[in-house]
Amino acid sequence: MLIVSVVGARPNFMKLGPVAKELASRRLRHVVVHTGQHYDGDMSDAFFRDLDLPHPDHHLAVGPGSHAFQTAAVMQRLEPVLENLRPDLVLVYGDVNSTLGAALTAAKLGLRVGHVEAGLRSRDRTMPEELNRIVTDRIADLLFAPSDDAVDNLRAEGIADEGVHLVGNVMIDTLCQALPRARTFEAPRRHGLEGRPYVVATLHRPSNVDHAGTLRELLETLRELGRSTPVLFPVHPRTQARMASLGLRGDGLRLCPPLGYVEMLGLVASSSLVITDSGGLQEETTFLGIPCLTARPTTERPITCTRGTNRLVPSRRTALLTAARDALRRGPGPRPVIQWWDGRTAQRMVQVVCETVPAPRRSDPRVAVSLSASS
Ligand code: UD1
């Protein structure tokens, strides 16, 4: 059996690791394609190093551009790679433009598509990721859902039960595997934050950073919070570009470039509060039991609010400051436990793959090659 994973952006890389390890442990052939949607060292290479990910077998060098450009470029450049490999399954991860481009390309070539993190919905179609999620789920054959609400969403959209598999959250696998290293890395000490309350903030959603007024208000709010509690703010390249063009310097905040996975996890795990608009951090804070405020009107991960530590807050000064001070005063509650977020999602996923993806036909030229290679 040949499986191709297509990844392109930071949140994809975090999901690839446990799947790649599990496929390797079962001696399944796995080819990794990097679309190049994210390309800076600290947005891409650092994750491959940190998470010990397999070196990509193909790099499509798509780079930045509009949504149409990125999606189309992934399709054009991936098609010949998939035509040549003719894999038994193409795995796509999450909800970025690379996910959609890869799923469409594979489906149009008649290849089976597996979607890791299927069924999440914010019900906000102004978010590019929501469109990516809906279309990818529509054309995927295997839908790996992280939680029961995701299964309900797929059912409500009329997606047949046979393809839907509740396997859990693969990002929590990554977290469980990296947490011991994150603790010994001592990131809080390296940032001068050891033994004191501090806040970690990240912002990169277009709705928060692409409008000058909103971005200015968010930075002002963080600065005000920073007067009483240090705020560490790793700045995403998109946010960095907007801040630079508006002449916003982030005074009063501890700004740093995007951090590697292990360093960021170590910082989040010892923080008192996270303020973010990221999807992954909502889940990671819930698993770790760290209070999280998400500066967005909706979330595709409602389970982090209903059963976790997350709370949605408008991207406005008063609302955020009140919620942040309240969270800091109350401190962390009991650590939530969410079913299937147990570090064994990749095992369950690959088991499903082995049970449901048909073995290659004996006339398949790849079988002949591998048989002759091993004889
Ligand atoms: C993308 C995903 C988003 C995810 C985020 C995580 C889509 C639609 N969005 O958003 O869901 O949460 O990644 O980071 O796919 N840039 C660099 N270097 C890089 C990558 C990006 O400088 O390595 C800059 C470029 O100016 C680029 C901009 O950031 O134009 C935005 O990058 P892009 O991949 O389009 O979207 P993200 O905002 O990163």
Side-chain angles (χ1 to χ4, degrees):
M1 198 193 297
L2 173 63
I3 294 161
V4 168
S5 280
V6 184
V7 290
R10 192 167 63 167
N12 293 164
F13 308 144
M14 297 170 192
K15 290 159 198 154
L16 170 67
V19 177
K21 278 199 189 96
E22 188 59 27
L23 290 171
S25 80
R26 298 196 190 210
R27 307 176 75 82
L28 294 169
R29 256 184 87 208
H30 184 211
V31 167
V32 176
V33 180
H34 189 322
T35 67
Q37 178 177 342
H38 282 178
Y39 45 88
D40 281 349
D42 50 13
M43 298 291 287
S44 175
D45 299 357
F47 286 80
F48 278 78
R49 264 198 317 274
D50 235 17
L51 298 172
D52 201 18
L53 301 180
H55 191 74
D57 301 280
H58 301 268
H59 198 292
L60 308 181
V62 164
S66 69
H67 293 278
F69 168 83
Q70 273 184 339
T71 312
V74 169
M75 292 186 73
Q76 281 182 333
R77 296 176 197 193
L78 180 62
E79 188 178 48
V81 176
L82 293 182
E83 268 179 327
N84 183 37
L85 293 168
R86 297 300 309 178
D88 302 286
L89 178 69
V90 177
L91 287 175
V92 298
Y93 299 74
D95 56 15
V96 301
N97 289 339
S98 298
T99 314
L100 173 63
L104 273 171
T105 312
K108 280 172 178 279
L109 288 172
L111 301 169
R112 290 169 72 88
V113 176
H115 184 201
V116 181
E117 205 183 77
L120 297 185
R121 297 288 183 271
S122 66
R123 297 187 171 73
D124 174 2
R125 290 202 184 188
T126 63
M127 282 184 75
E129 294 82 3
E130 182 74 353
L131 298 176
N132 295 345
R133 289 188 279 262
I134 292 169
V135 180
T136 302
D137 284 341
R138 205 67 231 171
I139 56 181
D141 304 281
L142 287 176
L143 297 103
F144 298 109
S147 46
D148 43 19
D149 58 309
V151 174
D152 293 343
N153 289 335
L154 295 169
R155 231 173 241 152
E157 290 176 18
I159 290 174
D161 276 351
E162 304 93 82
V164 179
H165 301 273
L166 174 54
V167 290
N169 188 334
V170 81
M171 253 193 18
I172 301 300
D173 288 20
T174 306
L175 190 159
C176 293
Q177 287 167 19
L179 194 55
R181 269 193 302 142
R183 300 259 191 227
T184 50
F185 187 80
E186 296 186 6
R189 184 181 55 75
R190 291 170 193 241
H191 286 264
L193 295 165
E194 195 184 23
R196 52 195 289 213
Y198 64 89
V199 176
V200 176
T202 76
L203 298 168
H204 74 283
R205 295 282 163 204
S207 58
N208 279 330
V209 305
D210 286 5
H211 303 104
T214 309
L215 180 57
R216 199 170 273 125
E217 183 166 347
L218 282 167
L219 292 174
E220 274 299 314
T221 306
L222 293 177
R223 177 159 68 156
E224 206 164 328
L225 188 61
R227 291 207 183 101
S228 51
T229 314
V231 177
L232 182 75
F233 184 25
V235 188
H236 186 282
R238 179 184 203 102
T239 313
Q240 178 64 54
R242 301 294 180 269
M243 286 172 68
S245 68
L246 295 168
L248 301 171
R249 297 208 317 268
D251 297 336
L253 302 175
R254 294 168 175 242
L255 302 187
C256 63
L259 298 172
Y261 182 82
V262 168
E263 185 171 8
M264 183 69 174
L265 176 59
L267 284 161
V268 168
S270 297
S271 70
S272 304
L273 175 67
V274 169
I275 299 177
T276 190
D277 56 13
S278 135
L281 272 171
Q282 297 172 50
E283 297 179 338
E284 288 162 349
T285 47
T286 275
F287 184 82
L288 294 164
I290 304 291
C292 178
L293 301 178
T294 297
R296 281 174 45 187
T298 58
T299 177
E300 63 289 341
R301 294 160 162 94
I303 200 169
T304 61
C305 296
T306 54
R307 290 192 241 162
T309 60
N310 189 24
R311 204 180 134 192
L312 301 183
V313 184
S315 301
R316 307 308 302 261
R317 180 183 167 280
T318 312
L320 263 173
L321 272 182
T322 309
R325 286 177 178 147
D326 185 47
L328 287 168
R329 195 172 40 248
R330 280 197 282 142
R335 205 180 134 238
V337 176
I338 296 184
Q339 200 188 10
W340 308 120
W341 291 24
D342 58 357
R344 291 201 290 272
T345 292
Q347 280 175 33
R348 288 186 287 269
M349 223 191 90
V350 175
Q351 185 61 33
V352 171
V353 170
C354 291
E355 286 167 7
T356 56
V357 176
R361 283 164 290 136
R362 290 193 66 81
S363 59
D364 187 327
R366 274 181 298 105
V367 177
V369 169
S370 64
L371 284 178
S372 59
S374 62
S375 59

